[in-house]
PDB file of all heavy atoms in Angstrom:
ATOM      1  N   ASP A 241      -6.439  -6.903 -22.179  1.00  0.00           N
ATOM      2  CA  ASP A 241      -7.046  -7.081 -23.508  1.00  0.00           C
ATOM      3  C   ASP A 241      -8.034  -8.216 -23.559  1.00  0.00           C
ATOM      4  O   ASP A 241      -8.944  -8.203 -24.429  1.00  0.00           O
ATOM      5  CB  ASP A 241      -5.961  -7.284 -24.503  1.00  0.00           C
ATOM      6  CG  ASP A 241      -5.122  -6.013 -24.770  1.00  0.00           C
ATOM      7  OD1 ASP A 241      -5.609  -4.919 -24.406  1.00  0.00           O
ATOM      8  OD2 ASP A 241      -3.997  -6.129 -25.261  1.00  0.00           O
ATOM      9  N   ASP A 242      -7.862  -9.215 -22.661  1.00  0.00           N
ATOM     10  CA  ASP A 242      -8.795 -10.346 -22.633  1.00  0.00           C
ATOM     11  C   ASP A 242     -10.103  -9.980 -21.976  1.00  0.00           C
ATOM     12  O   ASP A 242     -11.065 -10.834 -21.981  1.00  0.00           O
ATOM     13  CB  ASP A 242      -8.196 -11.574 -21.976  1.00  0.00           C
ATOM     14  CG  ASP A 242      -7.868 -11.367 -20.489  1.00  0.00           C
ATOM     15  OD1 ASP A 242      -8.201 -10.238 -19.977  1.00  0.00           O
ATOM     16  OD2 ASP A 242      -7.237 -12.227 -19.895  1.00  0.00           O
ATOM     17  N   GLY A 243     -10.236  -8.785 -21.427  1.00  0.00           N
ATOM     18  CA  GLY A 243     -11.469  -8.339 -20.843  1.00  0.00           C
ATOM     19  C   GLY A 243     -11.789  -9.042 -19.577  1.00  0.00           C
ATOM     20  O   GLY A 243     -12.970  -8.943 -19.114  1.00  0.00           O
ATOM     21  N   PHE A 244     -10.813  -9.721 -18.955  1.00  0.00           N
ATOM     22  CA  PHE A 244     -11.098 -10.525 -17.793  1.00  0.00           C
ATOM     23  C   PHE A 244     -10.128 -10.242 -16.683  1.00  0.00           C
ATOM     24  O   PHE A 244     -10.506  -9.992 -15.492  1.00  0.00           O
ATOM     25  CB  PHE A 244     -11.096 -11.999 -18.171  1.00  0.00           C
ATOM     26  CG  PHE A 244     -11.749 -12.890 -17.164  1.00  0.00           C
ATOM     27  CD1 PHE A 244     -13.147 -12.994 -17.094  1.00  0.00           C
ATOM     28  CD2 PHE A 244     -11.017 -13.682 -16.257  1.00  0.00           C
ATOM     29  CE1 PHE A 244     -13.765 -13.827 -16.191  1.00  0.00           C
ATOM     30  CE2 PHE A 244     -11.591 -14.465 -15.384  1.00  0.00           C
ATOM     31  CZ  PHE A 244     -12.987 -14.551 -15.330  1.00  0.00           C
ATOM     32  N   HIS A 245      -8.851 -10.303 -17.024  1.00  0.00           N
ATOM     33  CA  HIS A 245      -7.807 -10.047 -16.018  1.00  0.00           C
ATOM     34  C   HIS A 245      -7.603  -8.525 -15.860  1.00  0.00           C
ATOM     35  O   HIS A 245      -7.919  -7.738 -16.749  1.00  0.00           O
ATOM     36  CB  HIS A 245      -6.477 -10.676 -16.416  1.00  0.00           C
ATOM     37  CG  HIS A 245      -6.532 -12.157 -16.350  1.00  0.00           C
ATOM     38  ND1 HIS A 245      -6.897 -12.937 -17.413  1.00  0.00           N
ATOM     39  CD2 HIS A 245      -6.211 -13.058 -15.395  1.00  0.00           C
ATOM     40  CE1 HIS A 245      -6.846 -14.228 -17.126  1.00  0.00           C
ATOM     41  NE2 HIS A 245      -6.456 -14.331 -15.887  1.00  0.00           N
ATOM     42  N   PRO A 246      -7.054  -8.096 -14.676  1.00  0.00           N
ATOM     43  CA  PRO A 246      -6.852  -6.695 -14.466  1.00  0.00           C
ATOM     44  C   PRO A 246      -5.769  -6.080 -15.397  1.00  0.00           C
ATOM     45  O   PRO A 246      -4.789  -6.794 -15.672  1.00  0.00           O
ATOM     46  CB  PRO A 246      -6.387  -6.574 -12.993  1.00  0.00           C
ATOM     47  CG  PRO A 246      -5.868  -7.924 -12.707  1.00  0.00           C
ATOM     48  CD  PRO A 246      -6.657  -8.919 -13.519  1.00  0.00           C
ATOM     49  N   GLY A 247      -6.026  -4.891 -15.913  1.00  0.00           N
ATOM     50  CA  GLY A 247      -5.029  -4.216 -16.670  1.00  0.00           C
ATOM     51  C   GLY A 247      -4.271  -3.241 -15.822  1.00  0.00           C
ATOM     52  O   GLY A 247      -4.183  -3.417 -14.594  1.00  0.00           O
ATOM     53  N   LYS A 248      -3.712  -2.194 -16.471  1.00  0.00           N
ATOM     54  CA  LYS A 248      -2.861  -1.264 -15.712  1.00  0.00           C
ATOM     55  C   LYS A 248      -3.609  -0.660 -14.511  1.00  0.00           C
ATOM     56  O   LYS A 248      -3.144  -0.755 -13.354  1.00  0.00           O
ATOM     57  CB  LYS A 248      -2.317  -0.161 -16.649  1.00  0.00           C
ATOM     58  CG  LYS A 248      -1.634   0.967 -15.944  1.00  0.00           C
ATOM     59  CD  LYS A 248      -1.285   2.072 -16.883  1.00  0.00           C
ATOM     60  CE  LYS A 248      -0.611   3.287 -16.162  1.00  0.00           C
ATOM     61  NZ  LYS A 248      -0.335   4.379 -17.046  1.00  0.00           N
ATOM     62  N   HIS A 249      -4.722   0.032 -14.807  1.00  0.00           N
ATOM     63  CA  HIS A 249      -5.436   0.712 -13.730  1.00  0.00           C
ATOM     64  C   HIS A 249      -6.060  -0.237 -12.688  1.00  0.00           C
ATOM     65  O   HIS A 249      -6.149   0.037 -11.558  1.00  0.00           O
ATOM     66  CB  HIS A 249      -6.496   1.625 -14.339  1.00  0.00           C
ATOM     67  CG  HIS A 249      -5.921   2.774 -15.143  1.00  0.00           C
ATOM     68  ND1 HIS A 249      -5.190   3.796 -14.519  1.00  0.00           N
ATOM     69  CD2 HIS A 249      -5.927   3.031 -16.478  1.00  0.00           C
ATOM     70  CE1 HIS A 249      -4.831   4.650 -15.492  1.00  0.00           C
ATOM     71  NE2 HIS A 249      -5.214   4.220 -16.646  1.00  0.00           N
ATOM     72  N   GLY A 250      -6.484  -1.395 -13.270  1.00  0.00           N
ATOM     73  CA  GLY A 250      -7.061  -2.421 -12.311  1.00  0.00           C
ATOM     74  C   GLY A 250      -5.987  -2.960 -11.411  1.00  0.00           C
ATOM     75  O   GLY A 250      -6.234  -3.168 -10.188  1.00  0.00           O
ATOM     76  N   THR A 251      -4.829  -3.205 -11.896  1.00  0.00           N
ATOM     77  CA  THR A 251      -3.688  -3.708 -11.018  1.00  0.00           C
ATOM     78  C   THR A 251      -3.323  -2.633  -9.964  1.00  0.00           C
ATOM     79  O   THR A 251      -3.080  -2.973  -8.814  1.00  0.00           O
ATOM     80  CB  THR A 251      -2.450  -4.023 -11.890  1.00  0.00           C
ATOM     81  OG1 THR A 251      -2.814  -5.071 -12.810  1.00  0.00           O
ATOM     82  CG2 THR A 251      -1.359  -4.582 -11.022  1.00  0.00           C
ATOM     83  N   ILE A 252      -3.232  -1.414 -10.364  1.00  0.00           N
ATOM     84  CA  ILE A 252      -2.917  -0.313  -9.376  1.00  0.00           C
ATOM     85  C   ILE A 252      -4.033  -0.236  -8.340  1.00  0.00           C
ATOM     86  O   ILE A 252      -3.733  -0.102  -7.137  1.00  0.00           O
ATOM     87  CB  ILE A 252      -2.765   1.001 -10.137  1.00  0.00           C
ATOM     88  CG1 ILE A 252      -1.530   0.991 -10.994  1.00  0.00           C
ATOM     89  CG2 ILE A 252      -2.583   2.160  -9.096  1.00  0.00           C
ATOM     90  CD1 ILE A 252      -1.311   2.161 -11.900  1.00  0.00           C
ATOM     91  N   LEU A 253      -5.247  -0.322  -8.767  1.00  0.00           N
ATOM     92  CA  LEU A 253      -6.380  -0.248  -7.848  1.00  0.00           C
ATOM     93  C   LEU A 253      -6.221  -1.380  -6.765  1.00  0.00           C
ATOM     94  O   LEU A 253      -6.447  -1.147  -5.598  1.00  0.00           O
ATOM     95  CB  LEU A 253      -7.757  -0.362  -8.546  1.00  0.00           C
ATOM     96  CG  LEU A 253      -9.024  -0.165  -7.774  1.00  0.00           C
ATOM     97  CD1 LEU A 253     -10.085   0.467  -8.652  1.00  0.00           C
ATOM     98  CD2 LEU A 253      -9.473  -1.494  -7.257  1.00  0.00           C
ATOM     99  N   LEU A 254      -5.987  -2.615  -7.260  1.00  0.00           N
ATOM    100  CA  LEU A 254      -5.845  -3.733  -6.342  1.00  0.00           C
ATOM    101  C   LEU A 254      -4.673  -3.537  -5.437  1.00  0.00           C
ATOM    102  O   LEU A 254      -4.673  -3.924  -4.253  1.00  0.00           O
ATOM    103  CB  LEU A 254      -5.757  -5.079  -7.136  1.00  0.00           C
ATOM    104  CG  LEU A 254      -6.957  -5.460  -7.952  1.00  0.00           C
ATOM    105  CD1 LEU A 254      -6.663  -6.722  -8.722  1.00  0.00           C
ATOM    106  CD2 LEU A 254      -8.156  -5.638  -7.062  1.00  0.00           C
ATOM    107  N   GLY A 255      -3.560  -3.000  -5.968  1.00  0.00           N
ATOM    108  CA  GLY A 255      -2.393  -2.744  -5.103  1.00  0.00           C
ATOM    109  C   GLY A 255      -2.724  -1.726  -4.012  1.00  0.00           C
ATOM    110  O   GLY A 255      -2.302  -1.916  -2.831  1.00  0.00           O
ATOM    111  N   ASN A 256      -3.452  -0.666  -4.359  1.00  0.00           N
ATOM    112  CA  ASN A 256      -3.907   0.329  -3.354  1.00  0.00           C
ATOM    113  C   ASN A 256      -4.763  -0.328  -2.317  1.00  0.00           C
ATOM    114  O   ASN A 256      -4.661  -0.033  -1.120  1.00  0.00           O
ATOM    115  CB  ASN A 256      -4.591   1.458  -4.039  1.00  0.00           C
ATOM    116  CG  ASN A 256      -3.663   2.396  -4.887  1.00  0.00           C
ATOM    117  OD1 ASN A 256      -2.474   2.364  -4.649  1.00  0.00           O
ATOM    118  ND2 ASN A 256      -4.193   3.059  -5.837  1.00  0.00           N
ATOM    119  N   LEU A 257      -5.657  -1.182  -2.762  1.00  0.00           N
ATOM    120  CA  LEU A 257      -6.516  -1.875  -1.825  1.00  0.00           C
ATOM    121  C   LEU A 257      -5.756  -2.729  -0.812  1.00  0.00           C
ATOM    122  O   LEU A 257      -5.940  -2.621   0.334  1.00  0.00           O
ATOM    123  CB  LEU A 257      -7.492  -2.757  -2.600  1.00  0.00           C
ATOM    124  CG  LEU A 257      -8.359  -3.745  -1.782  1.00  0.00           C
ATOM    125  CD1 LEU A 257      -9.332  -2.979  -0.835  1.00  0.00           C
ATOM    126  CD2 LEU A 257      -9.134  -4.703  -2.669  1.00  0.00           C
ATOM    127  N   LEU A 258      -4.802  -3.529  -1.328  1.00  0.00           N
ATOM    128  CA  LEU A 258      -3.996  -4.390  -0.481  1.00  0.00           C
ATOM    129  C   LEU A 258      -3.170  -3.548   0.507  1.00  0.00           C
ATOM    130  O   LEU A 258      -3.021  -3.950   1.670  1.00  0.00           O
ATOM    131  CB  LEU A 258      -3.065  -5.264  -1.345  1.00  0.00           C
ATOM    132  CG  LEU A 258      -3.722  -6.405  -2.117  1.00  0.00           C
ATOM    133  CD1 LEU A 258      -2.806  -7.039  -3.108  1.00  0.00           C
ATOM    134  CD2 LEU A 258      -4.323  -7.503  -1.138  1.00  0.00           C
ATOM    135  N   SER A 259      -2.581  -2.456   0.014  1.00  0.00           N
ATOM    136  CA  SER A 259      -1.747  -1.658   0.925  1.00  0.00           C
ATOM    137  C   SER A 259      -2.590  -1.048   2.064  1.00  0.00           C
ATOM    138  O   SER A 259      -2.113  -1.015   3.218  1.00  0.00           O
ATOM    139  CB  SER A 259      -1.038  -0.559   0.138  1.00  0.00           C
ATOM    140  OG  SER A 259      -1.982   0.352  -0.395  1.00  0.00           O
ATOM    141  N   ARG A 260      -3.839  -0.666   1.770  1.00  0.00           N
ATOM    142  CA  ARG A 260      -4.646  -0.130   2.804  1.00  0.00           C
ATOM    143  C   ARG A 260      -5.075  -1.215   3.806  1.00  0.00           C
ATOM    144  O   ARG A 260      -5.095  -0.943   5.026  1.00  0.00           O
ATOM    145  CB  ARG A 260      -5.892   0.559   2.170  1.00  0.00           C
ATOM    146  CG  ARG A 260      -5.535   1.806   1.347  1.00  0.00           C
ATOM    147  CD  ARG A 260      -6.810   2.324   0.695  1.00  0.00           C
ATOM    148  NE  ARG A 260      -7.731   2.834   1.656  1.00  0.00           N
ATOM    149  CZ  ARG A 260      -7.690   4.086   2.187  1.00  0.00           C
ATOM    150  NH1 ARG A 260      -6.712   4.895   1.878  1.00  0.00           N
ATOM    151  NH2 ARG A 260      -8.591   4.443   3.074  1.00  0.00           N
ATOM    152  N   VAL A 261      -5.468  -2.370   3.339  1.00  0.00           N
ATOM    153  CA  VAL A 261      -5.819  -3.470   4.210  1.00  0.00           C
ATOM    154  C   VAL A 261      -4.655  -3.890   5.099  1.00  0.00           C
ATOM    155  O   VAL A 261      -4.799  -4.072   6.318  1.00  0.00           O
ATOM    156  CB  VAL A 261      -6.321  -4.643   3.389  1.00  0.00           C
ATOM    157  CG1 VAL A 261      -6.567  -5.865   4.320  1.00  0.00           C
ATOM    158  CG2 VAL A 261      -7.643  -4.321   2.649  1.00  0.00           C
TER     159      VAL A 261
END
Side-chain angles (χ1 to χ4, degrees):
D241 291 340
D242 62 6
F244 197 77
H245 292 89
K248 172 186 174 181
H249 293 291
T251 300
I252 294 175
L253 185 149
L254 294 178
N256 289 338
L257 171 65
L258 287 169
S259 65
R260 292 177 66 83
V261 173

